[in-house]
Amino acid sequence: MKIAVLLGGISREREISIRSGKRIAQALKNFGYTVDEIDFTLSFMDNLNQLRKYDVIFNILHGTFGEDGHLQAILDSIGVPYTGSGMETSVIAFDKYICNLYVHDIVSVPRFILLPKQEFIQNGIQRVKEVVGMPCVIKPRKEGSSIGTHICFSEKELIEALTLEFNNYGEMIVQEYIKGTEITVSIIDIEGKPTVLPILELRPKKLFYDYEAKYTDGMTEFIIPAQIGEEVTKKVEDIALRIYNKLGCKHFARVDGIVSNGTFYFLEVNTLPGMTELSDLPMSAKAYGLTFEELVNTIAIEAYKNPPFEQWLTKK
């Protein structure tokens, strides 16, 4: 097969996308595929027809534009199989507010509100105190890699964090802080069947698993399988799989959450997980028995056989 790896992009996760993409491209080359790396910035929009010559597009554009449904809509129109979830799933999963509403009947979701910038300017944190309470977590409505996320233990910290992040975002999620065991559940499609990989427990050396803890060697201890007990493990696996299926995820995804007092609290779904040397999904795949090359090849094959838009795939 001839495969294009889309990397880079225009989001704040550009650096991670490049690291993921180059590693994926090398793995595909090791399998004998013809591989081109394409830094997909907006200037490439004039050259979209170039993508028609590929058998599969391996999309690893993390964050805005690449993961939020915009790129998926473009790739759907081209009609070339691509990795990852389709447009509708991507739109829902990337929007933390909508995603919380979408899965709340499956999993426990910490109390949350959507706080627009204008409301914060006019009324401060009044609704936060009434609905969420302290301590709390703030995060952008649409962002990845824990960028813009803060844990706030006092009203002063909360006001300072919101003031800072409203310079970059028009809306913020403010959510109840749940103290517990941070875990991530990776799921990949194998021969068309969603398969839950061993659950990974995250023990960051910082307050939580933020951008630095995610991508800096030595900043997080990884425990696999997660030390949450057999009964909770089975419960979490079932919940994660139900979320994956309800959202209509394809090929690979990750469900992140917190286990506290035996309850799994949902944090987010990542439909284009990182694939760097420190990323979570490759670690879980390794524990399952897949090398990185085998993992990447599995995803590419699944995309070729079962593209997100298969119901109206047109032959080239």
Side-chain angles (χ1 to χ4, degrees):
M1 291 196 296
K2 190 171 185 179
I3 302 176
V5 177
L6 304 188
L7 51 79
I10 62 173
S11 80
R12 297 178 70 179
E13 298 180 76
R14 175 179 169 81
E15 176 191 347
I16 304 306
S17 174
I18 291 173
R19 284 168 57 182
S20 291
K22 288 189 174 298
R23 194 166 182 237
I24 288 168
Q26 186 57 57
L28 291 170
K29 290 174 184 176
N30 291 347
F31 253 90
Y33 298 123
T34 300
V35 181
D36 290 332
E37 298 175 21
I38 297 176
D39 189 342
F40 198 103
T41 58
L42 292 181
S43 61
F44 188 79
M45 295 289 285
D46 295 330
N47 302 300
L48 288 176
N49 281 333
Q50 290 185 25
L51 297 179
R52 295 182 185 275
K53 66 184 180 182
Y54 296 99
D55 298 298
V56 173
I57 295 170
F58 203 117
N59 174 27
I60 200 67
L61 294 179
H62 304 309
T64 304
F65 184 75
E67 196 171 353
D68 59 9
H70 285 87
L71 179 64
Q72 286 73 20
I74 292 170
L75 296 180
D76 284 349
S77 69
I78 295 172
V80 179
Y82 60 90
T83 59
S85 300
M87 179 186 67
E88 182 179 355
T89 298
S90 300
V91 168
I92 294 171
F94 196 70
D95 186 326
K96 293 181 176 63
Y97 178 71
I98 297 298
C99 194
N100 283 349
L101 296 176
Y102 204 77
V103 304
H104 82 280
D105 61 332
I106 296 176
V107 62
S108 297
V109 179
R111 293 191 307 273
F112 67 96
I113 64 169
L114 179 64
L115 183 66
K117 180 177 181 178
Q118 194 59 36
E119 180 183 340
F120 175 65
I121 293 172
Q122 293 177 348
N123 302 316
I125 58 172
Q126 184 61 36
R127 192 156 61 98
V128 175
K129 292 190 291 184
E130 293 173 353
V131 179
V132 179
M134 301 295 297
C136 64
V137 180
I138 71 164
K139 60 183 80 170
R141 178 175 180 173
K142 300 176 183 180
E143 189 60 273
S145 290
S146 298
I147 294 171
T149 300
H150 303 259
I151 298 178
C152 304
F153 292 94
S154 68
E155 292 185 13
K156 180 176 182 291
E157 287 182 351
L158 175 59
I159 292 170
E160 289 177 349
L162 287 170
T163 300
L164 172 66
E165 296 305 334
F166 275 132
N167 289 323
N168 300 312
Y169 306 99
E171 297 173 306
M172 296 292 290
I173 302 290
V174 185
Q175 194 160 33
E176 173 190 12
Y177 172 59
I178 302 293
K179 186 174 178 59
T181 302
E182 291 188 65
I183 62 170
T184 184
V185 189
S186 296
I187 300 173
I188 63 172
D189 291 349
I190 299 178
E191 296 183 356
K193 180 182 179 181
T195 303
V196 181
L197 304 181
I199 299 174
L200 183 65
E201 178 180 340
L202 311 165
R203 297 183 183 178
K205 296 183 178 179
K206 301 188 68 179
L207 181 59
F208 69 104
Y209 194 47
D210 64 5
Y211 186 92
E212 183 181 4
K214 280 179 167 72
Y215 302 116
T216 305
D217 193 12
M219 289 297 292
T220 298
E221 181 183 3
F222 300 96
I223 309 297
I224 193 164
Q227 303 301 294
I228 55 177
E230 184 177 347
E231 182 179 346
V232 175
T233 295
K234 291 180 179 177
K235 185 194 306 181
V236 170
E237 289 174 342
D238 177 66
I239 291 172
L241 189 58
R242 289 172 63 194
I243 291 171
Y244 185 94
N245 288 329
K246 182 172 183 178
L247 285 170
C249 295
K250 284 271 195 174
H251 311 144
F252 65 138
R254 227 184 52 231
V255 178
D256 298 339
I258 302 282
V259 172
S260 180
N261 297 320
T263 298
F264 178 54
Y265 291 90
F266 172 80
L267 294 181
E268 66 178 288
V269 174
N270 189 327
T271 55
L272 286 181
M275 298 285 275
T276 72
E277 64 283 352
L278 296 177
S279 293
D280 303 333
L281 188 147
M283 291 187 195
S284 290
K286 182 178 180 180
Y288 182 77
L290 293 175
T291 66
F292 184 75
E293 285 77 12
E294 290 169 337
L295 169 64
V296 170
N297 181 61
T298 297
I299 294 170
I301 291 295
E302 287 296 320
Y304 181 73
K305 291 181 177 179
N306 302 295
F309 53 97
E310 58 189 312
Q311 66 274 18
W312 56 274
L313 177 63
T314 55
K315 298 294 183 180
K316 289 186 292 179

